[in-house]
Amino acid sequence: MAPPIRSIALKVCLALLACLMFLGGQEAFLATGVFDGLDKDRPVWIPPGLRAADRRVTDENRILAAQNPFGFTDPAAKPGSHPGRTRVVVLGDSYVWGDGLAAATTWPHLLRERLEAARPGRFEVLSWGLCGWATVHQLVFLEKHGDDFKPDAVLVGFVSNDPDMLDRRQRRIDPNGPPWSWLAKPFPRGAAFLSGHVEALLSRFLPGWGYERWEDGLYTAENLERYDETLAALQAWCSARRTRLVFLLTPNADYGRNRRRFDALLPLLRERGIEHRDLLPPVSERFAGRSERSLWANPANPHPCPAMHALFAEQAADLLLSSPAGRGPRAY
């Protein structure tokens, strides 16, 4: 009879061997592409190859952002006022920065082109957005640097996670941390597949787990009351400088979730008299019948696609050109 230690060691080795055989088989099977889920609007996992392509786009934008002192994907603007030109600042987050698509196809850049075509030499558009920014970040930046650039209009590209007051931690699996990072080297597809499905299970059964439930917490009465204070401060900054303030509610392809979020925000904007435009109706009308996935920035990234950004720019240009307002008596 084998000593207990040898017996335990043998069982451990056999268990490890079985795990390796399972992971190897899974890796080989996933490599066939059968479970890539390219036809699914809400895939549980994204194949590493698609994620790598998404990262390449982001890396190109980072090269561009490195040339801007603030890390924006925009040419560095000169401080001070520009007589005869209307300076428009676009505040936003990853939608404005360009997560998942070329920066030149984001709506602030397209807005610049539209305004220049409509009124040559009359407008200047500055794109101020960073990945991860919420409205509180945008307010802090505007308070710190806004007076240096003297904007005539501030357009806020509102995204559903913008009421983040920075005190709610997201409970999610980190695919770049252990044990997934260890598995990802020999089994990149298997690690992504397993971590995605584990997170889906946790999000379904554990309270407060997962991105969507975290975002739900941003729309509680308590958090919205605090967010309203941020809106008040932003409005006060613009009012004191006779700067036009406009909120553009920019959705992604998840229409239902965006509708719920926007419906919770709109009463705050109306009560404060903040000018705004809800872009979900024109988006849903123009892209009716298209799948959610077809409106992603790329097959690995659910940010809005270039066609949606073009619509955002179209709507923003219409606001600026059709209803003049802002510092001083001149019309746009």
Side-chain angles (χ1 to χ4, degrees):
M1 183 175 180
I5 294 179
R6 291 182 59 191
S7 178
I8 292 172
L10 180 60
K11 291 178 180 179
V12 169
C13 290
L14 290 174
L16 289 174
L17 180 61
C19 288
L20 290 173
M21 291 178 64
F22 168 77
L23 291 170
Q26 177 184 245
E27 191 72 16
F29 193 68
L30 291 173
T32 65
V34 173
F35 287 106
D36 281 3
L38 295 178
D39 58 339
K40 294 183 178 179
D41 285 338
R42 302 184 184 185
V44 176
W45 80 296
I46 303 292
L50 296 181
R51 289 197 180 278
D54 179 50
R55 284 194 297 272
R56 284 194 291 272
V57 175
T58 301
D59 289 341
E60 291 176 3
N61 287 346
R62 286 197 180 111
I63 294 173
L64 184 64
Q67 302 171 38
N68 185 292
F70 303 115
F72 304 140
T73 52
D74 201 41
K78 294 181 180 179
S81 59
H82 291 247
R85 305 191 73 177
T86 297
R87 173 167 274 182
V88 179
V89 162
V90 177
L91 289 175
D93 60 357
S94 53
Y95 284 28
V96 165
W97 188 86
D99 190 333
L101 74 171
T105 63
T106 59
W107 71 268
H109 291 74
L110 299 177
L111 172 62
R112 180 184 296 125
E113 295 174 4
R114 279 184 166 271
L115 294 177
E116 181 62 24
R119 306 276 177 83
R122 293 291 302 278
F123 285 89
E124 182 182 21
V125 178
L126 310 186
S127 181
W128 290 357
L130 292 178
C131 295
W133 263 12
T135 307
V136 290
H137 296 104
Q138 297 159 16
L139 172 62
V140 169
F141 186 86
L142 190 64
E143 290 176 336
K144 185 175 181 180
H145 298 285
D147 285 328
D148 295 337
F149 293 88
K150 296 178 170 48
D152 298 290
V154 171
L155 304 188
V156 179
F158 179 85
V159 177
S160 60
N161 58 11
D162 279 356
D164 182 13
M165 301 307 294
L166 314 183
D167 59 352
R168 294 177 181 271
R169 183 176 64 88
Q170 292 189 37
R171 300 181 64 191
R172 304 183 68 186
I173 285 180
D174 179 9
N176 297 315
W180 313 108
S181 57
W182 304 335
L183 291 175
K185 293 179 180 179
F187 310 110
R189 297 179 183 84
F193 185 85
L194 289 173
S195 64
H197 282 79
V198 170
E199 177 159 311
L201 286 172
L202 294 175
S203 300
R204 182 175 180 180
F205 295 109
L206 292 184
W209 191 277
Y211 178 81
E212 189 160 350
R213 291 191 181 183
W214 169 80
E215 198 175 90
D216 286 340
L218 305 182
Y219 289 85
T220 62
E222 177 187 4
N223 196 72
L224 286 178
E225 183 176 351
R226 297 173 59 208
Y227 182 64
D228 188 51
E229 296 174 1
T230 301
L231 295 179
L234 184 59
Q235 184 180 36
W237 191 94
C238 291
S239 295
R241 293 155 180 81
R242 300 173 65 191
T243 298
R244 184 181 184 182
L245 173 64
V246 183
F247 266 66
L248 293 176
L249 279 58
T250 55
N252 60 11
D254 189 346
Y255 295 164
R257 182 165 61 88
N258 280 276
R259 184 70 276 154
R260 294 191 300 274
R261 306 307 194 219
F262 291 179
D263 285 346
L265 172 75
L266 286 169
L268 302 182
L269 299 178
R270 294 189 185 113
E271 288 170 10
R272 294 211 161 272
I274 295 176
E275 185 180 359
H276 60 274
R277 181 172 289 191
D278 179 358
L279 300 190
L280 185 54
V283 164
S284 57
E285 179 180 355
R286 178 168 300 181
F287 302 112
R290 286 187 56 171
S291 67
E292 284 188 24
R293 193 75 174 273
S294 71
L295 296 175
W296 283 21
N298 63 63
N301 192 315
H303 283 72
C305 67
M308 291 181 70
H309 278 270
L311 186 146
F312 299 164
E314 174 188 315
Q315 293 284 321
D318 178 67
L319 271 171
L320 293 171
L321 295 171
S322 64
S323 53
R327 184 192 300 114
R330 82 173 181 284
Y332 294 166

